[in-house]
Amino acid sequence: MEQIASFFDTLDDLNELLSSPALRGKVARSRSVLAQVFVSSSGGSLAQAAAARVAALEGRVVVVGASTCGEICGGRARSASNVLSLLLFDAAELRAEAYAATPGSEAALAGRIAEGIARAGDAPLKGVLLLSTSGTVEAGALLRALHGRLPGLPLFGAGAGDGLEQGRTVVLCGTRTLEAGCIAVGLYGHALEVMRQTYLGWEPMGKRMRATRAAGCVMHTIDDQPAMEVYRHYLGIEGNDRLFHNAMEFPFLVEREGELLARVPHKALPDGAIEFIGDVREGEELRFGYANVDGILARARGTQAEVRAFEPQAILFYSCICRYFVMQKDVELELRPYEAMAPTAGFFTYGEFCDLGSSSPMMTSTLLVVALREGAGQGGVPQAPMAGAPAAALCESSHSRILSRFQHFVRAIAGDLERANDELLALAEHDALTGLVNRRKLQALLAAEALRARRHGDDFCVLLGDIDHFKHINDNFGHEAGDAVLRLVAHTLASQVRGVDTVCRWGGEEFVVLLPQTHLEEAMQCAERLRRCVEALYDEGDSPLPRRVTLSLGVAAYPRHGDVQTPLLAAADKALYEAKHGGRNQVRAGQDA
């Protein structure tokens, strides 16, 4: 097989390309031809006219295409141009279908594709090209439904663009254009091999947030604040018609099934919500993302090595418009090296499609590289070094070099702030003298444990302990000795409980121990063990204690002694009072509520 690809600006340019006797001869001799027409205008007239001229070629030609946000050919990127890609197959068979769609019909659409394209053909299915209109089809829902029916489907493709006009998008099959629908092309062949590689290059920055209200592609609130307010607060971006242009460099990043995905804002809605390119899910953790130029370069080199080893005969690109927007002309520096391996063509998209095996997410800000060949490779014989692809190539551009250094600076500052915040959080949640969690943190843990126990029907217990006659230690041996006693008792308690338990300095000489998923009988045994361990400290040969120290403890169980934290702690405190008045150095259980 081979690929013939070229830019064309007018129909006259296209006619000149198609009139070549050499090209027409190759098309006529091919078993099948996949012609892809990528047009910058989302108006259907140019796409239809171009498709009609290509379809008139003599041979078994399947014509599909899409409107774009920019075009790729020969390792070069353009906007406001057009591209024709002809994949000439020696043996592979093709089948293409156009599917009109209505809102909410994605699951039914997936069923039609699965029963048609994915199951047709005598030869094995090696690839499915999917081109979809953007905005009128929820591609994320379509991809999930397809994956549910046929997990691991060798799918690749993208969402059509609109020249950054935020208008309509179109896909075409033959001379038919759709403003709401998708095109699917099945590629079948015993000798056909298809490799698909994706990489993002965006990295998370800033605080972790949560989608508190979201549905479909619309994010209503983040941390209970209007989604638009988050972009306004952190990036100074207003919710107007320019939201997509202003915010595409800073998508939200989410992790799903082990994959980091970007979600790019597309449109601001009147209630402060944001419509994204790609689905968003309630409850997901979000962080802003930024394009790490050095990371993109490193991933590009790794992917280029894998594609080179595949020994492709043709390469297709489906690259998010965000990459072009951020890297500008420097985007060619990640595309150009592939041209030394095989002819390349593609377009800049509103979302990239690739079934990853474990999932088939809607991607954005991603580069999808599809390498094809017919027949076996040459045994992995190394190819000559790629022209223009040294490791430092990306930094030869002043734009990328400056952007890279600025991003390094931002990462360093963000790292400093994150470490400082971690230190402040540790100080805010821990007791400075003993290192145990403090009262504030324990109250939050106790509230969370009560919710968990209520949801799952579990028990848990709290122990409230008080060092006996601690005032006597301070008065007779000094506060330094008292502090030493507190530290030693704290260490003893923490060393005698499970990893899931929490020991807290509640205040003064009082300690609280939270025991998740623990019954009262088990908690009483734990409290008795802690009492004995503290009592035995003075008997150790090198004990720093000025005198024998003992501990009295009260035990309360959820829900037996209280179903919220205040009654529960009150029950433990009353039991501790009884232990004190019963002679100290003992354990008492709370009274049933």
Side-chain angles (χ1 to χ4, degrees):
M1 68 167 292
E2 70 172 301
Q3 176 169 224
I4 299 173
S6 177
F7 288 111
F8 66 94
D9 293 326
T10 66
L11 289 177
D12 288 340
D13 296 338
L14 179 62
N15 290 335
E16 183 177 352
L17 173 66
L18 297 177
S19 65
S20 165
L23 181 146
R24 299 178 75 88
K26 288 181 177 182
V27 169
R29 292 189 297 271
S30 298
R31 177 62 178 266
S32 61
V33 177
L34 176 58
Q36 296 181 87
V37 180
F38 305 132
V39 296
S40 58
S41 171
S42 57
S45 58
L46 175 62
Q48 286 180 313
R53 284 161 171 75
V54 177
L57 290 170
E58 182 181 347
R60 301 177 63 185
V61 181
V62 170
V63 183
V64 297
S67 55
T68 77
C69 291
E71 302 74 46
I72 305 169
C73 185
R76 293 175 296 156
R78 290 186 184 177
S79 57
S81 186
N82 311 286
V83 164
L84 171 66
S85 160
L86 298 175
L87 293 176
L88 311 175
F89 295 100
D90 296 328
E93 298 284 349
L94 305 172
R95 178 180 175 183
E97 292 287 348
Y99 302 93
T102 56
S105 67
E106 289 80 10
L109 195 57
R112 293 166 61 194
I113 295 172
E115 291 301 320
I117 294 296
R119 300 191 185 280
D122 297 328
L125 177 67
K126 294 297 182 70
V128 176
L129 167 62
L130 183 69
L131 299 174
S132 169
T133 55
S134 302
T136 53
V137 173
E138 189 182 333
L142 174 59
L143 295 173
R144 286 196 304 275
L146 270 173
H147 182 78
R149 289 178 172 271
L150 296 170
L153 185 71
L155 181 142
F156 60 90
D162 60 3
L164 290 179
E165 297 172 358
Q166 293 189 276
R168 64 175 186 165
T169 63
V170 299
V171 293
L172 66 91
C173 184
T175 57
R176 180 187 179 188
T177 61
L178 296 175
E179 294 183 22
C182 68
I183 308 299
V185 183
L187 290 79
Y188 315 85
H190 294 282
L192 180 63
E193 299 295 336
V194 179
M195 168 190 267
R196 298 161 299 142
Q197 295 285 323
T198 66
Y199 61 91
L200 179 58
W202 263 245
E203 292 188 2
M205 67 176 183
K207 68 175 286 188
R208 290 173 171 83
M209 297 170 280
R210 194 162 299 280
T212 47
R213 184 178 166 218
C217 295
V218 177
M219 185 93 69
H220 293 276
T221 62
I222 299 168
D223 289 344
D224 295 320
Q225 297 294 317
M228 195 60 241
E229 183 58 33
V230 175
Y231 268 91
R232 184 180 295 112
H233 175 70
Y234 286 103
L235 298 172
I237 295 174
E238 298 296 329
N240 53 35
D241 293 341
R242 302 287 298 174
L243 174 63
F244 176 63
H245 301 82
N246 292 331
M248 70 169 72
E249 305 101 314
F250 299 102
F252 277 126
L253 298 184
V254 300
E255 186 171 329
R256 294 183 190 165
E257 290 86 32
E259 292 290 330
L260 193 64
L261 303 177
R263 288 294 175 259
V264 179
H266 185 245
K267 185 189 304 181
L269 302 180
D271 60 352
I274 297 176
E275 179 183 296
F276 285 78
I277 299 178
D279 60 310
V280 291
R281 300 180 186 176
E282 195 166 293
E284 282 188 319
E285 184 179 275
L286 312 167
R287 294 181 75 183
F288 280 114
Y290 71 98
N292 181 354
V293 177
D294 294 332
I296 290 174
L297 175 59
R299 291 296 304 273
R301 290 199 299 269
T303 302
Q304 289 158 11
E306 293 186 47
V307 173
R308 189 186 316 118
F310 177 77
E311 300 180 51
Q313 295 164 331
I315 296 173
L316 301 175
F317 294 129
Y318 304 96
S319 181
C320 184
I321 180 55
C322 297
R323 302 179 84 85
Y324 196 9
F325 198 85
V326 170
M327 299 174 70
Q328 301 178 39
K329 198 63 176 176
D330 297 338
V331 75
E332 293 184 354
L333 297 171
E334 72 169 339
L335 302 174
R336 196 182 305 144
Y338 293 97
E339 187 67 20
M341 307 175 206
T344 62
F347 71 98
F348 291 101
T349 76
Y350 273 162
E352 303 75 55
F353 313 152
C354 183
D355 193 299
L356 303 174
S358 60
S359 63
S360 184
M362 165 75 166
M363 302 178 185
T364 58
S365 304
T366 300
L367 174 62
L368 168 60
V369 182
V370 182
L372 304 96
R373 73 163 190 249
E374 280 189 301
Q378 301 302 311
V381 177
Q383 297 185 9
M386 296 176 292
L394 197 54
C395 292
E396 291 174 0
S397 160
S398 60
H399 170 74
S400 290
R401 185 175 64 252
I402 294 169
L403 184 60
S404 176
R405 297 287 67 79
F406 176 72
Q407 290 172 346
H408 181 88
F409 174 76
V410 170
R411 288 197 300 273
I413 295 296
D416 291 343
L417 290 174
E418 193 162 347
R419 285 188 293 273
N421 285 335
D422 289 343
E423 292 172 3
L424 288 173
L425 183 62
L427 290 172
E429 295 181 342
H430 290 79
D431 174 58
L433 177 64
T434 64
L436 299 177
V437 300
N438 60 21
R439 185 177 188 136
R440 175 185 176 185
K441 178 63 175 178
L442 193 281
Q443 287 175 323
L445 293 173
L446 189 56
E449 182 61 27
L451 287 174
R452 190 202 62 78
R454 191 175 298 117
R455 185 181 301 117
H456 299 288
D458 289 338
D459 292 349
F460 72 91
C461 292
V462 292
L463 316 181
L464 180 58
D466 184 272
I467 299 175
D468 298 324
H469 301 297
F470 183 74
K471 185 177 184 300
H472 181 269
I473 297 173
N474 275 337
D475 291 345
N476 290 275
F477 301 99
H479 288 280
E480 288 188 5
D483 288 348
V485 169
L486 288 171
R487 283 192 292 265
L488 186 57
V489 171
H491 174 75
T492 301
L493 297 179
S495 66
Q496 294 297 319
V497 297
R498 306 167 299 178
V500 296
D501 302 330
T502 302
V503 181
C504 158
R505 185 182 178 194
W506 192 244
E509 66 271 26
E510 284 189 325
F511 298 88
V512 172
V513 183
L514 174 61
L515 303 173
Q517 296 181 302
T518 303
H519 299 295
L520 178 60
E521 295 76 13
E522 298 169 319
M524 291 292 290
Q525 294 171 8
C526 176
E528 179 61 26
R529 183 176 69 254
L530 296 178
R531 185 199 65 77
R532 290 197 305 268
C533 288
V534 171
E535 184 181 30
L537 289 173
Y538 186 72
D539 297 328
E540 297 177 2
D542 57 348
S543 172
L545 298 179
R547 50 159 285 180
R548 185 176 301 280
V549 174
T550 61
L551 189 70
S552 299
L553 296 107
V555 182
Y558 169 94
R560 182 171 177 175
H561 299 133
D563 58 358
V564 292
Q565 60 176 310
T566 300
L568 194 63
L569 288 168
D573 186 59
K574 186 174 181 180
L576 173 62
Y577 178 84
E578 293 175 356
K580 289 284 190 179
H581 283 263
R584 294 183 172 84
N585 192 25
Q586 57 186 272
V587 177
R588 293 290 180 90
Q591 297 180 358
D592 290 352

